[in-house]
Amino acid sequence: MTGWWPEVPIVQAPMAGGPGGPALAAAVAGAGGLGFLAGGNKTAAALRAEIDDLRSRTAGPFGVNLFLPSADAPDGAALARYRDLLAADAARLGAEPGGPGPRDDGYGAKVADLLRDPPPVVSFTFGNPAPDVVRAFQERGTGVVVTVTSADEAREAGGADALCVQGAEAGGHQGSFRNHDGPRLPVRDLLRAVRDVTDRPLIAAGGIADAGAVAELLGLGAAAVQIGTALLRSPESGATAVHKAALADPAFTATALTRAFSGRPARGLVNRFLTEHDADAPALYPDVHYLTAPLRRAAANRGDAGGVNLWAGEGWRAARDAPAAQIVADLARGAR
């Protein structure tokens, strides 16, 4: 295994939007796992500041995740229709829907900055990075991981050092190369399918919440497992108070994949906003993300769990308020 591979086969999901910051990544690294910083939805300068912060907290290996630029074709009319449908939410919250933002997530600037001072690992979501980008990182000693959601995507990601195999159970965004509504395999079936087409190390992701699941997935050929939702209620998590509370609230009884908040399929707790807008949200990322962001912020500030994206995997009921290091240690028992 490569030099950046963690001592304990537990990888922290990056979790963009606040949860996956330096405190959580450092805690996971300190427990022997691989902590990750979420580079999505922030500038290159903001990401660099988080890297510097993380390095001040730990000397252990860590990863940085980047979103590939959106391939969705702009559609102003569809976005305007969705904006109109959000009028009642905006009025209730006293907030206006957001305007357009960069569609490439500052990808080029982030790649350039990371190549100047590379982290131990870089991972990519929403696509397959260009071969020259992969080689450039590898030449600097940085491990490259690509998120895949099908065997076909695994074949496309031929240059990566490892693959994050993300099943349908995973919380947050599905990391598929294309913004589609096609069938999605659960992690156990996906792991078998990807194992048939590659011999590279595989990181299994999707609804993993206990040591038994860790042991099972390692037994099915995963070299490590990725956890996200299990860490959301930890004190080191940067998740909002309303998000943490919702994960423990018995009023929430299910998760679902939805485009309502961002324009890309993402799994979260079923709440009012998801129920009311899921059927109408266009497949436009990150345009819908920018459109709903002010409404979500306003709802979070009000403690309104019905109006925010409560990303959660199917194992969300096992999420607990405990130190991240303890959660990693408990899950790692499945690797023994």
Side-chain angles (χ1 to χ4, degrees), residues 71-159:
D72 296 348
D75 187 338
L79 199 64
R81 286 193 295 271
Y82 194 49
R83 175 186 287 271
D84 290 343
L85 291 172
L86 299 178
D89 297 86
R92 183 180 65 253
L93 294 166
E96 288 297 319
R103 305 191 83 246
D104 66 352
D105 199 44
Y107 177 75
K110 292 173 191 174
V111 168
D113 181 74
L114 291 178
L115 286 173
R116 283 191 291 270
D117 184 8
V121 189
V122 63
S123 71
F124 296 88
T125 299
F126 301 151
N128 186 33
D132 62 322
V133 171
V134 174
R135 286 193 300 270
F137 279 111
Q138 290 170 335
E139 289 168 358
R140 288 160 175 78
T142 294
V144 175
V145 179
V146 174
T147 303
V148 300
T149 61
S150 70
D152 286 342
E153 290 176 354
R155 291 187 186 96
E156 287 186 51

Side-chain angles (χ1 to χ4, degrees), residues 82-84 86-100 273 288-299 302:
Y82 194 49
R83 175 186 287 271
D84 290 343
L86 299 178
D89 297 86
R92 183 180 65 253
L93 294 166
E96 288 297 319
F273 193 99
V288 173
H289 162 75
Y290 292 128
L291 186 69
T292 67
L295 306 184
R296 290 181 279 131
R297 282 195 296 270
R302 291 184 175 209

Side-chain angles (χ1 to χ4, degrees), residues 164-238:
C164 177
V165 179
Q166 185 195 41
E169 307 96 327
H173 284 98
Q174 288 281 296
S176 50
F177 289 8
R178 296 158 193 86
N179 190 352
H180 68 87
D181 285 321
R184 301 177 187 277
L185 291 174
V187 64
R188 289 157 182 80
D189 294 339
L190 181 60
L191 186 62
R192 293 184 184 97
V194 173
R195 181 77 288 158
D196 285 343
V197 302
T198 181
D199 60 359
R200 280 166 294 169
L202 304 180
I203 302 167
I208 301 162
D210 56 47
V214 171
E216 181 185 3
L217 289 164
L218 294 177
L220 289 173
V225 299
Q226 180 170 282
I227 59 170
T229 306
L231 293 163
L232 280 177
R233 295 184 62 209
S234 69
E236 297 90 350
S237 160

Side-chain angles (χ1 to χ4, degrees), residues 201-281:
L202 304 180
I203 302 167
I208 301 162
D210 56 47
V214 171
E216 181 185 3
L217 289 164
L218 294 177
L220 289 173
V225 299
Q226 180 170 282
I227 59 170
T229 306
L231 293 163
L232 280 177
R233 295 184 62 209
S234 69
E236 297 90 350
S237 160
T240 63
V242 68
H243 194 173
K244 291 184 177 185
L247 290 166
D249 188 342
F252 293 99
T253 60
T255 67
L257 287 171
T258 184
R259 282 198 174 91
F261 298 100
S262 72
R264 248 187 178 271
R267 184 173 297 281
L269 297 177
V270 176
N271 64 357
R272 182 187 68 248
F273 193 99
L274 188 157
T275 302
E276 292 178 355
H277 299 300
D278 177 63
D280 300 309

Side-chain angles (χ1 to χ4, degrees), residues 31-56:
L34 182 65
F36 253 96
L37 291 176
N41 301 328
K42 59 173 63 90
T43 65
L47 178 57
R48 175 54 58 185
E50 290 198 354
I51 292 171
D52 292 342
D53 184 354
L54 177 55
R55 282 175 167 159
S56 74

